[in-house]
Amino acid sequence: MNDHVIRIPDPHLRPGLILDTPADPADFLLIFADDSESRVQLVTDDTGRPVLRVGGYVTTRGDVVQERVWTVREMARRDGHLRLRLGRSLP
């Protein structure tokens, strides 16, 4: 388990959202605005492009969100962190 925690001000992920992740974001915990949590991994797809695998979770309202994979539109290193701009989610 990794102790990196990222908190975002949104209740869900969406295209264009920027995540300021650790420099090596192989695995981290994402906490949404409603305090629900999901384990996240930065991996590559079959073509070698980076994608974000977001584990399934239950919102604080009790809604079940299935695991999703998101494309990464942009990636840039900055001040010892890695900034990711999300693209669309994959089916």
Side-chain angles (χ1 to χ4, degrees), residues 31-63:
I31 302 177
F32 295 92
D34 69 350
D35 288 328
S36 56
E37 303 175 354
S38 179
R39 179 64 53 193
V40 178
Q41 293 178 306
L42 181 64
V43 296
T44 55
D45 66 10
D46 294 340
T47 66
R49 291 180 293 201
V51 293
L52 207 62
R53 181 180 307 277
V54 180
Y57 61 97
V58 178
T59 68
T60 55
R61 287 186 355 186
D63 298 327

Side-chain angles (χ1 to χ4, degrees), residues 60-78:
T60 55
R61 287 186 355 186
D63 298 327
V64 176
V65 178
Q66 300 296 321
E67 178 179 287
R68 293 179 91 170
V69 175
W70 291 80
T71 59
V72 176
R73 192 174 356 164
E74 296 174 33
M75 217 168 45
R77 296 207 179 274
R78 185 175 185 191

Side-chain angles (χ1 to χ4, degrees), residues 2 4-5 12-13 15-17 23 34 36 47 52 56 65 82 87:
N2 194 316
H4 293 295
V5 176
H12 298 285
L13 295 178
L17 182 71
D34 69 350
S36 56
T47 66
L52 207 62
V65 178
L82 186 62

